[in-house]
Amino acid sequence: MTDILLLAPVGLPLLTAIVAVFLRHAPHWQRRLNLAGSLALTVAAAALFAAVMDDAVLSSQMGGWPAPFGITLVADGLSAIMVLVAAVMGLLIAIYALADIDDTLLRRGFVVYYQILVGGVCGAFLTGDLFNLYVWFETTLIASFGLLVLGGTREQLDAGVKYVVVNVAATLLLLISIGMLYGLTGTLNLADLSRTVADIDNDGLLNLISVLFIVAFGIKAALFPFFFWLPASYHTPATAVTAIFGALLTKLGVYALIRLFTLVLTHDPAFTNTVLLVLALLTMVTGVLGAAAQNDVNRILSFHIISQIGYMILGLALYAPLAVAGAIIYTVHNILAKTNLFLIAGILRRHAGSLELHRLGGFYQARPALAVAFLISALSLAGLPPLSGFWAKLIVVQAGMDAQAYAAAGIALAVGFLTLFSMTKIWIGAFWTPAPPDAEPVTPPSRAGAWALQAPVWVLVACIVLAGFTAETLFGLSLEAGRALMDPSTYIATVLPPGA
Amino acid sequence: MDTIVALSAGLLVAGGVYLLHAPNLMRLIFGLMLLGNAANLVLLAGGRFFGAVPPLIAEGETLVAGDPANALPQALALTAIVISFGILAFAIILVLRSYQFLGTADADAMRLAEPDTAWESPGESPGESPGESPGESR
C-alpha cells in the first residue's frame, strides 16, 4: 500500500503523458485527459498527505533493493505538503488551460509536456536519492523547454535559448557536485549520506561541495546573483505555462536546498547558513527593486518571484524549527498568491491584448470582481493581515528575531513595503486609471471559456483567505514538518531501518 | 590515472566556461557539451579507478576474483550521457530555429523578450504582443 501511495503521484502524470501522446490529434480529448489526469493526481496526493499525517515518514524501496543500494522514495511532512500543493496547482491550471490553450498548442503536445512537468516535480519531491533527484530535475527541465517554446513565437525562441543554456549549465554543475559528493562519501542515498557526512572530517571539501550545490540549486531557484534567466523568459509563453512555471519550478530549487541543507550538508551550519543568509537578503532586495523598474505586469510578477524566493531561503538560513516552518508556509503561500496573480494577468491580457501598464486601464469599472480577486492576491503577496502572506511573513520575521538576526528581519519587512509599492503600481495602472483612448475594444472570451478562466482564480482567492483565517492549522503542520527536518532521525530510521 | 582524469576534467570545464562566454549561440552549445563531458569524468573519478575486472561473481564463489571495477559511477555516467544527448539535440534545434526566425546567432543581439525600451516612451518596443501571436508555420 505504501508503495502505491508513493508511486502514484509520480506514475499517474507520466501515464497521462503517454496516453496524451496517442491523443495528440484530438485536442478535444486531450483537454479531458489533462483534467482527468490532474484530478487523479490530486486524489493520489491527498491520499499520500493523509497517510503522512498519520505516520510521519513513509518510504518505499523500488524493485525491492534495500536502501542504500536501491532507489528510495520517501515522503515526510515537507514532501507531502509540497506534493499536495503541486497537485492542486496542476489541477487548477489544467482547468485554466481548458480555455487558455488553443488547439494548435494542444496538437503540438501541451498536455504531454504539462503532465511530464508535474510528474517530474512530484518525483523530485518524493525521491530519497541524490542522483535520482538530478534525473527528476532533468525530466522537469526537458518538459519546461517544450512548454516554453511551444507557441514558436520569436519572443519565445529568444527566451527559450537563454532559459535552456542557463538551466543546462546549472544541471551540469549539479551533476559535478553530485559526483564530488559521491567521491567523498561513496553513497547517493540521502539518508545514508546524512550518516556518512557526519563522520567525514574534511570540512574544507564539504564546504566546497556545499557552495557548488548552492550555485546549482540557486540557479534553479533564481537566487541572487543567478536569477537573470527568469525575468528574461517567464513572461513569454501562454499564461497557463507561465503560471505552472511560477508555481512549481523555482520552488523545486528551494525544496532541494531545504532538503539538502537540513538532511545532508549539516557539517558546518555556521558557514553554509551565512552564505545562504547573505544570498537570501540580496535576492529579496534585488528582486523587489528589479520589479519596481518594470512596466509589464508579467515582468513585475516575475521579479517578485525572485524576491519571494529570498524569504524562503531566509527561513532555511535562520536554521531553526520555527524558521524552516516559516520557509514552508512561505512557499505554500507564495505558490497560491503568485499563481493567482499570473492567472489574473492572463485574463487582463486576453482583454487588453497586452500587459504593458500604459496600455492597460479601466478594469476596475469593466471587471470589478476580477479587481477584487487581484487586490486580495496582491495584498496577500505584500503580507497584509489577515491573508496568508501576513502569517508567512510574520513567522519568518519572528524566526529572525529569535535568531537575533535583526537586520535580516528588518530587511524582510522593508521588502514587504516595496512589494506593496509594485502591487499598487499594477493596481493603479491596470484597474484605476481609465482605459487608454487607443485601446482595442474589449473582446471577452466565449461564455464557456470565461468560467474555465475564472473558476481557478476564485478557488485560489478562497484558498488565500482561508489560509489566512485557519493559519493555526497550517502553522501546526509546517512546524511539525520543520521540526522533522531539523531532527532527521525519524527520516533516517525509516529509510534505513536499524538492524536491517 | 587520477591525475590525468583530474587534469582533463579541469581542462574541459575551463574550455566549456570559456565557450559559454562567447556571443555565438553555436559556441554556447559546444561549451555545454564540454561541460557535460567534464561532469561525466567527475562522476567516473568519484568512483575511483582501481580495478579492471568486471564486478561479476563467478558461480559457486561469494566474492569477485581480483580487483573489480566500480560499476555504479559507470551507470551514473551512462545515464547522464543519455540525458545530455537528448537535451543537446533539443538545444541545437532551438538554436537553429532561432537563427532562422530571428536572423541572428548572436546572443547579444537577441533582445526581443527583454527590450531595451522598458523605461522609454510607449509604442517603441520592437516585438509584437508576447505569447498571443500564432507563431510561424512549423
Side-chain angles (χ1 to χ4, degrees), chain A residues 131 138 145 149 153-155 157-158 162 168 182-183 232 235-236 353 358, chain B residues 46 48 70 76 87 90 101 110 112-114 118 122 128-129 131 133 138:
Chain A
F131 193 78
E138 292 281 29
F145 292 168
V149 298
T153 64
R154 289 145 58 94
E155 283 87 1
L157 286 173
D158 178 3
K162 292 163 193 169
V168 170
Y182 172 71
H235 61 292
T236 55
H358 60 79
Chain B
R48 308 292 192 279
N70 190 346
L76 301 182
I87 286 194
F90 175 86
F101 283 174
M110 298 174 63
L112 272 180
E114 288 180 288
E128 60 264 65
S129 67
S133 56
R138 278 204 171 182

PDB file of all heavy atoms in Angstrom, chain A residues 131 138 145 149 153-155 157-158 162 168 182-183 232 235-236 353 358, chain B residues 46 48 70 76 87 90 101 110 112-114 118 122 128-129 131 133 138:
ATOM      1  N   PHE A 131      21.077  11.136  -6.897  1.00  0.00           N
ATOM      2  CA  PHE A 131      21.200  11.072  -8.346  1.00  0.00           C
ATOM      3  C   PHE A 131      19.820  11.059  -8.994  1.00  0.00           C
ATOM      4  O   PHE A 131      19.601  11.656 -10.043  1.00  0.00           O
ATOM      5  CB  PHE A 131      21.992   9.832  -8.773  1.00  0.00           C
ATOM      6  CG  PHE A 131      22.419   9.890 -10.207  1.00  0.00           C
ATOM      7  CD1 PHE A 131      23.493  10.668 -10.572  1.00  0.00           C
ATOM      8  CD2 PHE A 131      21.728   9.205 -11.190  1.00  0.00           C
ATOM      9  CE1 PHE A 131      23.885  10.754 -11.901  1.00  0.00           C
ATOM     10  CE2 PHE A 131      22.111   9.286 -12.514  1.00  0.00           C
ATOM     11  CZ  PHE A 131      23.196  10.061 -12.875  1.00  0.00           C
ATOM     12  N   GLU A 138      16.117  16.929 -14.466  1.00  0.00           N
ATOM     13  CA  GLU A 138      16.243  16.922 -15.925  1.00  0.00           C
ATOM     14  C   GLU A 138      14.894  16.684 -16.581  1.00  0.00           C
ATOM     15  O   GLU A 138      14.564  17.312 -17.584  1.00  0.00           O
ATOM     16  CB  GLU A 138      17.230  15.827 -16.365  1.00  0.00           C
ATOM     17  CG  GLU A 138      18.661  16.093 -15.973  1.00  0.00           C
ATOM     18  CD  GLU A 138      19.346  17.084 -16.908  1.00  0.00           C
ATOM     19  OE1 GLU A 138      18.662  17.946 -17.473  1.00  0.00           O
ATOM     20  OE2 GLU A 138      20.572  16.987 -17.071  1.00  0.00           O
ATOM     21  N   PHE A 145      11.305  23.094 -21.213  1.00  0.00           N
ATOM     22  CA  PHE A 145      11.790  23.575 -22.523  1.00  0.00           C
ATOM     23  C   PHE A 145      10.661  23.518 -23.539  1.00  0.00           C
ATOM     24  O   PHE A 145      10.394  24.482 -24.261  1.00  0.00           O
ATOM     25  CB  PHE A 145      12.920  22.687 -23.062  1.00  0.00           C
ATOM     26  CG  PHE A 145      14.197  22.756 -22.300  1.00  0.00           C
ATOM     27  CD1 PHE A 145      15.202  21.829 -22.528  1.00  0.00           C
ATOM     28  CD2 PHE A 145      14.406  23.751 -21.365  1.00  0.00           C
ATOM     29  CE1 PHE A 145      16.383  21.884 -21.835  1.00  0.00           C
ATOM     30  CE2 PHE A 145      15.595  23.808 -20.669  1.00  0.00           C
ATOM     31  CZ  PHE A 145      16.580  22.864 -20.900  1.00  0.00           C
ATOM     32  N   VAL A 149       8.724  26.981 -25.488  1.00  0.00           N
ATOM     33  CA  VAL A 149       8.792  27.376 -26.898  1.00  0.00           C
ATOM     34  C   VAL A 149       7.642  26.796 -27.715  1.00  0.00           C
ATOM     35  O   VAL A 149       7.677  26.834 -28.931  1.00  0.00           O
ATOM     36  CB  VAL A 149      10.141  26.957 -27.531  1.00  0.00           C
ATOM     37  CG1 VAL A 149      11.274  27.648 -26.839  1.00  0.00           C
ATOM     38  CG2 VAL A 149      10.313  25.463 -27.488  1.00  0.00           C
ATOM     39  N   THR A 153       6.715  31.570 -31.120  1.00  0.00           N
ATOM     40  CA  THR A 153       6.867  32.974 -31.485  1.00  0.00           C
ATOM     41  C   THR A 153       8.318  33.386 -31.325  1.00  0.00           C
ATOM     42  O   THR A 153       9.119  32.676 -30.713  1.00  0.00           O
ATOM     43  CB  THR A 153       6.012  33.882 -30.592  1.00  0.00           C
ATOM     44  OG1 THR A 153       6.509  33.768 -29.261  1.00  0.00           O
ATOM     45  CG2 THR A 153       4.563  33.484 -30.627  1.00  0.00           C
ATOM     46  N   ARG A 154       8.654  34.548 -31.875  1.00  0.00           N
ATOM     47  CA  ARG A 154      10.039  34.993 -31.820  1.00  0.00           C
ATOM     48  C   ARG A 154      10.488  35.269 -30.390  1.00  0.00           C
ATOM     49  O   ARG A 154      11.603  34.912 -29.999  1.00  0.00           O
ATOM     50  CB  ARG A 154      10.201  36.237 -32.686  1.00  0.00           C
ATOM     51  CG  ARG A 154      10.109  35.926 -34.176  1.00  0.00           C
ATOM     52  CD  ARG A 154       9.434  37.034 -34.965  1.00  0.00           C
ATOM     53  NE  ARG A 154      10.111  38.292 -34.819  1.00  0.00           N
ATOM     54  CZ  ARG A 154      11.041  38.742 -35.671  1.00  0.00           C
ATOM     55  NH1 ARG A 154      11.358  38.018 -36.714  1.00  0.00           N
ATOM     56  NH2 ARG A 154      11.617  39.890 -35.487  1.00  0.00           N
ATOM     57  N   GLU A 155       9.589  35.870 -29.582  1.00  0.00           N
ATOM     58  CA  GLU A 155       9.963  36.118 -28.180  1.00  0.00           C
ATOM     59  C   GLU A 155      10.250  34.804 -27.464  1.00  0.00           C
ATOM     60  O   GLU A 155      11.164  34.713 -26.651  1.00  0.00           O
ATOM     61  CB  GLU A 155       8.847  36.832 -27.430  1.00  0.00           C
ATOM     62  CG  GLU A 155       8.711  38.296 -27.706  1.00  0.00           C
ATOM     63  CD  GLU A 155       7.821  38.509 -28.901  1.00  0.00           C
ATOM     64  OE1 GLU A 155       7.327  37.509 -29.470  1.00  0.00           O
ATOM     65  OE2 GLU A 155       7.635  39.680 -29.282  1.00  0.00           O
ATOM     66  N   LEU A 157      11.279  31.951 -28.699  1.00  0.00           N
ATOM     67  CA  LEU A 157      12.556  31.361 -29.105  1.00  0.00           C
ATOM     68  C   LEU A 157      13.707  32.097 -28.438  1.00  0.00           C
ATOM     69  O   LEU A 157      14.649  31.484 -27.927  1.00  0.00           O
ATOM     70  CB  LEU A 157      12.694  31.421 -30.625  1.00  0.00           C
ATOM     71  CG  LEU A 157      11.829  30.423 -31.380  1.00  0.00           C
ATOM     72  CD1 LEU A 157      11.906  30.678 -32.863  1.00  0.00           C
ATOM     73  CD2 LEU A 157      12.276  29.012 -31.078  1.00  0.00           C
ATOM     74  N   ASP A 158      13.603  33.421 -28.443  1.00  0.00           N
ATOM     75  CA  ASP A 158      14.631  34.238 -27.804  1.00  0.00           C
ATOM     76  C   ASP A 158      14.763  33.866 -26.326  1.00  0.00           C
ATOM     77  O   ASP A 158      15.853  33.563 -25.819  1.00  0.00           O
ATOM     78  CB  ASP A 158      14.220  35.713 -27.978  1.00  0.00           C
ATOM     79  CG  ASP A 158      15.183  36.663 -27.317  1.00  0.00           C
ATOM     80  OD1 ASP A 158      16.189  36.190 -26.773  1.00  0.00           O
ATOM     81  OD2 ASP A 158      14.930  37.872 -27.348  1.00  0.00           O
ATOM     82  N   LYS A 162      17.944  31.472 -23.898  1.00  0.00           N
ATOM     83  CA  LYS A 162      18.585  31.867 -22.627  1.00  0.00           C
ATOM     84  C   LYS A 162      18.234  30.881 -21.518  1.00  0.00           C
ATOM     85  O   LYS A 162      19.094  30.451 -20.740  1.00  0.00           O
ATOM     86  CB  LYS A 162      18.125  33.272 -22.245  1.00  0.00           C
ATOM     87  CG  LYS A 162      18.651  34.317 -23.204  1.00  0.00           C
ATOM     88  CD  LYS A 162      17.880  35.609 -23.079  1.00  0.00           C
ATOM     89  CE  LYS A 162      18.221  36.505 -24.253  1.00  0.00           C
ATOM     90  NZ  LYS A 162      17.337  37.652 -24.345  1.00  0.00           N
ATOM     91  N   VAL A 168      20.670  24.317 -18.422  1.00  0.00           N
ATOM     92  CA  VAL A 168      21.509  23.142 -18.681  1.00  0.00           C
ATOM     93  C   VAL A 168      22.841  23.301 -17.956  1.00  0.00           C
ATOM     94  O   VAL A 168      23.337  22.354 -17.331  1.00  0.00           O
ATOM     95  CB  VAL A 168      21.712  22.947 -20.200  1.00  0.00           C
ATOM     96  CG1 VAL A 168      22.762  21.892 -20.453  1.00  0.00           C
ATOM     97  CG2 VAL A 168      20.419  22.534 -20.854  1.00  0.00           C
ATOM     98  N   TYR A 182      29.705  12.086  -4.110  1.00  0.00           N
ATOM     99  CA  TYR A 182      29.793  10.629  -4.181  1.00  0.00           C
ATOM    100  C   TYR A 182      31.234  10.179  -3.991  1.00  0.00           C
ATOM    101  O   TYR A 182      31.498   9.204  -3.278  1.00  0.00           O
ATOM    102  CB  TYR A 182      29.242  10.139  -5.530  1.00  0.00           C
ATOM    103  CG  TYR A 182      29.469   8.662  -5.750  1.00  0.00           C
ATOM    104  CD1 TYR A 182      28.748   7.726  -5.022  1.00  0.00           C
ATOM    105  CD2 TYR A 182      30.419   8.221  -6.652  1.00  0.00           C
ATOM    106  CE1 TYR A 182      28.969   6.380  -5.199  1.00  0.00           C
ATOM    107  CE2 TYR A 182      30.643   6.871  -6.843  1.00  0.00           C
ATOM    108  CZ  TYR A 182      29.920   5.949  -6.111  1.00  0.00           C
ATOM    109  OH  TYR A 182      30.152   4.624  -6.285  1.00  0.00           O
ATOM    110  N   GLY A 183      32.160  10.899  -4.599  1.00  0.00           N
ATOM    111  CA  GLY A 183      33.558  10.543  -4.426  1.00  0.00           C
ATOM    112  C   GLY A 183      33.997  10.613  -2.975  1.00  0.00           C
ATOM    113  O   GLY A 183      34.840   9.839  -2.514  1.00  0.00           O
ATOM    114  N   ALA A 232      13.803  37.028 -17.933  1.00  0.00           N
ATOM    115  CA  ALA A 232      14.011  37.065 -19.378  1.00  0.00           C
ATOM    116  C   ALA A 232      13.101  36.090 -20.101  1.00  0.00           C
ATOM    117  O   ALA A 232      12.942  36.179 -21.308  1.00  0.00           O
ATOM    118  CB  ALA A 232      15.468  36.741 -19.707  1.00  0.00           C
ATOM    119  N   HIS A 235       7.781  35.620 -18.978  1.00  0.00           N
ATOM    120  CA  HIS A 235       6.614  36.363 -19.451  1.00  0.00           C
ATOM    121  C   HIS A 235       6.241  36.011 -20.885  1.00  0.00           C
ATOM    122  O   HIS A 235       5.242  36.478 -21.385  1.00  0.00           O
ATOM    123  CB  HIS A 235       6.876  37.860 -19.356  1.00  0.00           C
ATOM    124  CG  HIS A 235       8.038  38.288 -20.188  1.00  0.00           C
ATOM    125  ND1 HIS A 235       9.330  37.910 -19.893  1.00  0.00           N
ATOM    126  CD2 HIS A 235       8.122  39.025 -21.310  1.00  0.00           C
ATOM    127  CE1 HIS A 235      10.133  38.414 -20.801  1.00  0.00           C
ATOM    128  NE2 HIS A 235       9.447  39.090 -21.669  1.00  0.00           N
ATOM    129  N   THR A 236       7.050  35.165 -21.571  1.00  0.00           N
ATOM    130  CA  THR A 236       6.787  34.966 -22.992  1.00  0.00           C
ATOM    131  C   THR A 236       5.749  33.888 -23.323  1.00  0.00           C
ATOM    132  O   THR A 236       5.016  34.067 -24.271  1.00  0.00           O
ATOM    133  CB  THR A 236       8.092  34.665 -23.751  1.00  0.00           C
ATOM    134  OG1 THR A 236       8.724  33.559 -23.137  1.00  0.00           O
ATOM    135  CG2 THR A 236       9.015  35.849 -23.718  1.00  0.00           C
ATOM    136  N   GLY A 353      -5.013  42.719 -24.784  1.00  0.00           N
ATOM    137  CA  GLY A 353      -4.068  42.366 -25.842  1.00  0.00           C
ATOM    138  C   GLY A 353      -2.632  42.647 -25.478  1.00  0.00           C
ATOM    139  O   GLY A 353      -1.732  42.410 -26.272  1.00  0.00           O
ATOM    140  N   HIS A 358       0.994  50.898 -19.581  1.00  0.00           N
ATOM    141  CA  HIS A 358       0.417  52.071 -20.229  1.00  0.00           C
ATOM    142  C   HIS A 358      -0.667  51.697 -21.230  1.00  0.00           C
ATOM    143  O   HIS A 358      -1.388  52.554 -21.710  1.00  0.00           O
ATOM    144  CB  HIS A 358       1.515  52.913 -20.892  1.00  0.00           C
ATOM    145  CG  HIS A 358       2.273  52.177 -21.942  1.00  0.00           C
ATOM    146  ND1 HIS A 358       1.783  51.992 -23.198  1.00  0.00           N
ATOM    147  CD2 HIS A 358       3.475  51.550 -21.906  1.00  0.00           C
ATOM    148  CE1 HIS A 358       2.648  51.299 -23.902  1.00  0.00           C
ATOM    149  NE2 HIS A 358       3.687  51.011 -23.136  1.00  0.00           N
TER     150      HIS A 358
ATOM    151  N   GLY B  46      34.774   9.989  -9.241  1.00  0.00           N
ATOM    152  CA  GLY B  46      34.207   9.845  -7.903  1.00  0.00           C
ATOM    153  C   GLY B  46      34.182   8.389  -7.463  1.00  0.00           C
ATOM    154  O   GLY B  46      34.250   8.083  -6.273  1.00  0.00           O
ATOM    155  N   ARG B  48      36.494   6.248  -8.184  1.00  0.00           N
ATOM    156  CA  ARG B  48      37.900   5.816  -8.148  1.00  0.00           C
ATOM    157  C   ARG B  48      38.200   4.815  -9.279  1.00  0.00           C
ATOM    158  O   ARG B  48      37.348   4.074  -9.732  1.00  0.00           O
ATOM    159  CB  ARG B  48      38.282   5.157  -6.815  1.00  0.00           C
ATOM    160  CG  ARG B  48      37.949   5.955  -5.590  1.00  0.00           C
ATOM    161  CD  ARG B  48      38.800   7.214  -5.485  1.00  0.00           C
ATOM    162  NE  ARG B  48      38.665   7.816  -4.166  1.00  0.00           N
ATOM    163  CZ  ARG B  48      37.634   8.594  -3.815  1.00  0.00           C
ATOM    164  NH1 ARG B  48      36.666   8.841  -4.686  1.00  0.00           N
ATOM    165  NH2 ARG B  48      37.575   9.109  -2.613  1.00  0.00           N
ATOM    166  N   ASN B  70      34.411  -0.353 -10.293  1.00  0.00           N
ATOM    167  CA  ASN B  70      33.202   0.161  -9.649  1.00  0.00           C
ATOM    168  C   ASN B  70      32.151   0.407 -10.726  1.00  0.00           C
ATOM    169  O   ASN B  70      32.333   1.244 -11.601  1.00  0.00           O
ATOM    170  CB  ASN B  70      33.546   1.457  -8.900  1.00  0.00           C
ATOM    171  CG  ASN B  70      32.402   1.910  -8.022  1.00  0.00           C
ATOM    172  OD1 ASN B  70      31.286   1.429  -8.154  1.00  0.00           O
ATOM    173  ND2 ASN B  70      32.693   2.829  -7.123  1.00  0.00           N
ATOM    174  N   LEU B  76      25.943   5.720 -13.644  1.00  0.00           N
ATOM    175  CA  LEU B  76      25.548   7.124 -13.496  1.00  0.00           C
ATOM    176  C   LEU B  76      25.966   7.930 -14.717  1.00  0.00           C
ATOM    177  O   LEU B  76      25.188   8.714 -15.271  1.00  0.00           O
ATOM    178  CB  LEU B  76      26.180   7.734 -12.241  1.00  0.00           C
ATOM    179  CG  LEU B  76      25.865   7.085 -10.905  1.00  0.00           C
ATOM    180  CD1 LEU B  76      26.529   7.862  -9.784  1.00  0.00           C
ATOM    181  CD2 LEU B  76      24.375   7.019 -10.675  1.00  0.00           C
ATOM    182  N   ILE B  87      19.058  16.475 -24.411  1.00  0.00           N
ATOM    183  CA  ILE B  87      18.946  17.912 -24.190  1.00  0.00           C
ATOM    184  C   ILE B  87      19.723  18.687 -25.245  1.00  0.00           C
ATOM    185  O   ILE B  87      19.249  19.700 -25.771  1.00  0.00           O
ATOM    186  CB  ILE B  87      19.450  18.253 -22.774  1.00  0.00           C
ATOM    187  CG1 ILE B  87      18.405  17.790 -21.769  1.00  0.00           C
ATOM    188  CG2 ILE B  87      19.713  19.733 -22.642  1.00  0.00           C
ATOM    189  CD1 ILE B  87      18.579  18.332 -20.417  1.00  0.00           C
ATOM    190  N   PHE B  90      17.898  18.863 -28.483  1.00  0.00           N
ATOM    191  CA  PHE B  90      16.876  19.905 -28.410  1.00  0.00           C
ATOM    192  C   PHE B  90      17.507  21.288 -28.541  1.00  0.00           C
ATOM    193  O   PHE B  90      17.029  22.146 -29.291  1.00  0.00           O
ATOM    194  CB  PHE B  90      16.110  19.789 -27.092  1.00  0.00           C
ATOM    195  CG  PHE B  90      15.118  20.888 -26.889  1.00  0.00           C
ATOM    196  CD1 PHE B  90      13.835  20.781 -27.401  1.00  0.00           C
ATOM    197  CD2 PHE B  90      15.463  22.037 -26.197  1.00  0.00           C
ATOM    198  CE1 PHE B  90      12.935  21.797 -27.230  1.00  0.00           C
ATOM    199  CE2 PHE B  90      14.551  23.058 -26.033  1.00  0.00           C
ATOM    200  CZ  PHE B  90      13.285  22.934 -26.550  1.00  0.00           C
ATOM    201  N   PHE B 101      14.456  32.250 -37.427  1.00  0.00           N
ATOM    202  CA  PHE B 101      13.367  33.197 -37.187  1.00  0.00           C
ATOM    203  C   PHE B 101      13.874  34.574 -36.786  1.00  0.00           C
ATOM    204  O   PHE B 101      13.279  35.586 -37.126  1.00  0.00           O
ATOM    205  CB  PHE B 101      12.433  32.665 -36.091  1.00  0.00           C
ATOM    206  CG  PHE B 101      11.512  31.597 -36.571  1.00  0.00           C
ATOM    207  CD1 PHE B 101      10.695  30.919 -35.684  1.00  0.00           C
ATOM    208  CD2 PHE B 101      11.460  31.264 -37.913  1.00  0.00           C
ATOM    209  CE1 PHE B 101       9.842  29.929 -36.124  1.00  0.00           C
ATOM    210  CE2 PHE B 101      10.616  30.273 -38.364  1.00  0.00           C
ATOM    211  CZ  PHE B 101       9.812  29.599 -37.465  1.00  0.00           C
ATOM    212  N   MET B 110      19.957  39.365 -29.333  1.00  0.00           N
ATOM    213  CA  MET B 110      18.620  38.824 -29.103  1.00  0.00           C
ATOM    214  C   MET B 110      17.983  39.555 -27.932  1.00  0.00           C
ATOM    215  O   MET B 110      18.156  39.185 -26.784  1.00  0.00           O
ATOM    216  CB  MET B 110      18.720  37.324 -28.825  1.00  0.00           C
ATOM    217  CG  MET B 110      19.293  36.581 -30.024  1.00  0.00           C
ATOM    218  SD  MET B 110      19.591  34.868 -29.675  1.00  0.00           S
ATOM    219  CE  MET B 110      17.948  34.281 -29.351  1.00  0.00           C
ATOM    220  N   LEU B 112      14.539  40.546 -28.021  1.00  0.00           N
ATOM    221  CA  LEU B 112      13.095  40.614 -28.222  1.00  0.00           C
ATOM    222  C   LEU B 112      12.321  40.443 -26.928  1.00  0.00           C
ATOM    223  O   LEU B 112      11.371  41.168 -26.659  1.00  0.00           O
ATOM    224  CB  LEU B 112      12.666  39.510 -29.193  1.00  0.00           C
ATOM    225  CG  LEU B 112      12.723  39.870 -30.659  1.00  0.00           C
ATOM    226  CD1 LEU B 112      12.275  38.690 -31.475  1.00  0.00           C
ATOM    227  CD2 LEU B 112      11.829  41.069 -30.912  1.00  0.00           C
ATOM    228  N   ALA B 113      12.727  39.446 -26.121  1.00  0.00           N
ATOM    229  CA  ALA B 113      11.980  39.159 -24.897  1.00  0.00           C
ATOM    230  C   ALA B 113      12.295  40.175 -23.806  1.00  0.00           C
ATOM    231  O   ALA B 113      11.547  40.326 -22.860  1.00  0.00           O
ATOM    232  CB  ALA B 113      12.289  37.755 -24.404  1.00  0.00           C
ATOM    233  N   GLU B 114      13.410  40.873 -23.953  1.00  0.00           N
ATOM    234  CA  GLU B 114      13.778  41.881 -22.958  1.00  0.00           C
ATOM    235  C   GLU B 114      14.137  43.171 -23.674  1.00  0.00           C
ATOM    236  O   GLU B 114      15.305  43.534 -23.746  1.00  0.00           O
ATOM    237  CB  GLU B 114      15.007  41.433 -22.174  1.00  0.00           C
ATOM    238  CG  GLU B 114      14.771  40.332 -21.226  1.00  0.00           C
ATOM    239  CD  GLU B 114      16.062  39.975 -20.524  1.00  0.00           C
ATOM    240  OE1 GLU B 114      16.939  39.390 -21.175  1.00  0.00           O
ATOM    241  OE2 GLU B 114      16.192  40.308 -19.361  1.00  0.00           O
ATOM    242  N   ALA B 118      12.346  49.442 -21.884  1.00  0.00           N
ATOM    243  CA  ALA B 118      11.433  49.261 -20.757  1.00  0.00           C
ATOM    244  C   ALA B 118      10.968  50.586 -20.156  1.00  0.00           C
ATOM    245  O   ALA B 118       9.828  50.727 -19.745  1.00  0.00           O
ATOM    246  CB  ALA B 118      12.088  48.410 -19.694  1.00  0.00           C
ATOM    247  N   PRO B 122       5.962  55.037 -24.803  1.00  0.00           N
ATOM    248  CA  PRO B 122       5.158  53.911 -25.263  1.00  0.00           C
ATOM    249  C   PRO B 122       5.306  53.665 -26.755  1.00  0.00           C
ATOM    250  O   PRO B 122       5.615  54.570 -27.524  1.00  0.00           O
ATOM    251  CB  PRO B 122       3.719  54.359 -24.959  1.00  0.00           C
ATOM    252  CG  PRO B 122       3.814  55.566 -24.119  1.00  0.00           C
ATOM    253  CD  PRO B 122       5.184  56.091 -24.170  1.00  0.00           C
ATOM    254  N   GLU B 128       6.022  42.114 -31.233  1.00  0.00           N
ATOM    255  CA  GLU B 128       4.573  42.105 -31.178  1.00  0.00           C
ATOM    256  C   GLU B 128       4.176  41.654 -29.782  1.00  0.00           C
ATOM    257  O   GLU B 128       5.028  41.314 -28.976  1.00  0.00           O
ATOM    258  CB  GLU B 128       3.984  41.184 -32.255  1.00  0.00           C
ATOM    259  CG  GLU B 128       4.395  39.747 -32.149  1.00  0.00           C
ATOM    260  CD  GLU B 128       5.566  39.417 -33.054  1.00  0.00           C
ATOM    261  OE1 GLU B 128       6.670  39.970 -32.828  1.00  0.00           O
ATOM    262  OE2 GLU B 128       5.399  38.628 -33.970  1.00  0.00           O
ATOM    263  N   SER B 129       2.887  41.654 -29.488  1.00  0.00           N
ATOM    264  CA  SER B 129       2.465  41.291 -28.136  1.00  0.00           C
ATOM    265  C   SER B 129       2.873  39.844 -27.870  1.00  0.00           C
ATOM    266  O   SER B 129       2.628  38.973 -28.701  1.00  0.00           O
ATOM    267  CB  SER B 129       0.958  41.449 -28.001  1.00  0.00           C
ATOM    268  OG  SER B 129       0.327  40.492 -28.812  1.00  0.00           O
ATOM    269  N   GLY B 131       3.419  36.035 -26.813  1.00  0.00           N
ATOM    270  CA  GLY B 131       2.630  34.858 -26.498  1.00  0.00           C
ATOM    271  C   GLY B 131       1.393  34.638 -27.364  1.00  0.00           C
ATOM    272  O   GLY B 131       1.095  33.525 -27.743  1.00  0.00           O
ATOM    273  N   SER B 133       0.543  35.722 -30.484  1.00  0.00           N
ATOM    274  CA  SER B 133       0.590  35.531 -31.924  1.00  0.00           C
ATOM    275  C   SER B 133       0.759  34.051 -32.241  1.00  0.00           C
ATOM    276  O   SER B 133       1.426  33.320 -31.528  1.00  0.00           O
ATOM    277  CB  SER B 133       1.726  36.342 -32.517  1.00  0.00           C
ATOM    278  OG  SER B 133       2.934  35.996 -31.889  1.00  0.00           O
ATOM    279  N   ARG B 138       5.061  25.622 -38.746  1.00  0.00           N
ATOM    280  CA  ARG B 138       6.045  24.603 -38.377  1.00  0.00           C
ATOM    281  C   ARG B 138       6.009  23.489 -39.378  1.00  0.00           C
ATOM    282  O   ARG B 138       4.936  23.018 -39.692  1.00  0.00           O
ATOM    283  CB  ARG B 138       5.711  24.028 -36.999  1.00  0.00           C
ATOM    284  CG  ARG B 138       6.224  24.906 -35.919  1.00  0.00           C
ATOM    285  CD  ARG B 138       6.402  24.067 -34.675  1.00  0.00           C
ATOM    286  NE  ARG B 138       7.117  24.854 -33.666  1.00  0.00           N
ATOM    287  CZ  ARG B 138       7.450  24.367 -32.509  1.00  0.00           C
ATOM    288  NH1 ARG B 138       7.157  23.147 -32.185  1.00  0.00           N
ATOM    289  NH2 ARG B 138       8.088  25.102 -31.643  1.00  0.00           N
TER     290      ARG B 138
END
